[in-house]
Amino acid sequence: MKNLLKGAVAIVAVFFSTQFANAQQKIGHINFAEIIQSTPEFKTAEGQLKTLSDGKTKEIQDMVAIYQTKQKDANDKLRNRSEANKETVDPEINKIGQELQDIQTRIQTAQQAAQEELNKKEEELIAPVHRKVAEAVNAVSKEKGMAYVFDISSTNIPYFQGGEDLTAAVKTKLGISATATPAATPAKTTTPARK
């Protein structure tokens, strides 16, 4: 009977020690987006992406201006078209119509190429920042003995309460002031606007 009792006590002790060990696992969270946007590399990349985007937008706007000028020319010719001048005006209007189609195709091609170039440049500039921050998150998490660290900037965490916020520690690990504010807007490329 004593052996049975000792065995039961041992099982209960193992159960409670396992539960206690599980309860002692440390859980933390970070705001990955805030950290990324607080890095000097991100701010530099954001500036470079804005410059590139502005240049591409200007190129496309110049093409749109040419398109609008030709469209106005075609509309003026149509307004002034009469039976007396239709033999000379109709071919001109047809020629302008073809030019408008060509310009429209060039605008669409330029927009697609601009978006691809912006996406490639964004990947080139931002991917190293992501890697650097991920390495710092891993290092801080290990230093602090975390079992789990969740990214609260992700939409995959609908609720969290408690846990240790490691955001400031990761910023410090990266040599960024713990109170550094993120860039005003995240680097996000969009297709330059078409008028």
Side-chain angles (χ1 to χ4, degrees):
M1 182 81 152
K2 281 186 176 181
N3 285 339
L4 233 89
L5 189 55
K6 280 185 184 179
V9 169
I11 290 173
V12 169
V14 169
F15 174 75
F16 281 117
S17 67
T18 303
Q19 292 298 6
F20 183 75
N22 286 339
Q24 294 300 313
Q25 289 184 341
K26 291 174 73 176
I27 297 174
H29 59 273
I30 57 161
N31 186 326
F32 199 80
E34 178 183 323
I35 297 167
I36 291 282
Q37 293 171 15
S38 297
T39 64
E41 296 91 343
F42 178 85
K43 292 173 182 174
T44 300
E46 186 177 44
Q48 290 177 11
L49 289 169
K50 182 176 179 351
T51 300
L52 179 61
S53 178
D54 290 351
K56 296 299 177 184
T57 298
K58 171 90 172 82
E59 288 175 22
I60 291 168
Q61 286 173 339
D62 290 347
M63 286 189 264
V64 168
I66 292 168
Y67 181 89
Q68 290 170 337
T69 300
K70 291 222 178 257
Q71 192 172 40
K72 182 183 178 310
D73 188 29
N75 289 338
D76 289 346
K77 288 186 183 297
L78 276 172
R79 261 193 305 278
N80 296 323
R81 182 181 176 272
S82 66
E83 280 299 316
N85 68 4
K86 76 176 186 178
E87 288 185 24
T88 57
V89 172
D90 284 353
E92 291 173 9
I93 292 172
N94 288 337
K95 181 181 177 195
I96 293 172
Q98 183 59 48
E99 289 172 356
L100 287 171
Q101 286 178 345
D102 292 344
I103 294 169
Q104 190 172 21
T105 300
R106 286 196 339 248
I107 290 170
Q108 290 171 346
T109 301
Q111 284 178 318
Q112 184 178 5
Q115 186 61 53
E116 289 171 4
E117 187 174 344
L118 285 167
N119 289 343
K120 182 179 177 186
K121 189 68 168 177
E122 181 178 32
E123 175 65 23
E124 173 187 314
L125 295 172
I126 302 298
V129 179
H130 275 262
R131 280 191 299 275
K132 178 181 174 182
V133 170
E135 289 170 5
V137 168
N138 288 338
V140 168
S141 298
K142 287 177 185 173
E143 288 168 11
K144 295 202 175 264
M146 295 290 153
Y148 301 96
V149 175
F150 298 99
D151 177 9
I152 61 171
S153 65
S154 157
T155 58
N156 296 330
I157 309 290
Y159 174 81
F160 74 96
Q161 181 62 39
E164 187 175 345
D165 187 353
L166 305 177
T167 302
V170 173
K171 284 182 180 180
T172 301
K173 182 73 142 181
L174 290 166
I176 302 168
S177 167
T179 58
T181 57
T185 56
K188 186 174 186 177
T189 56
T190 57
T191 304
R194 188 175 125 196
K195 292 185 177 180

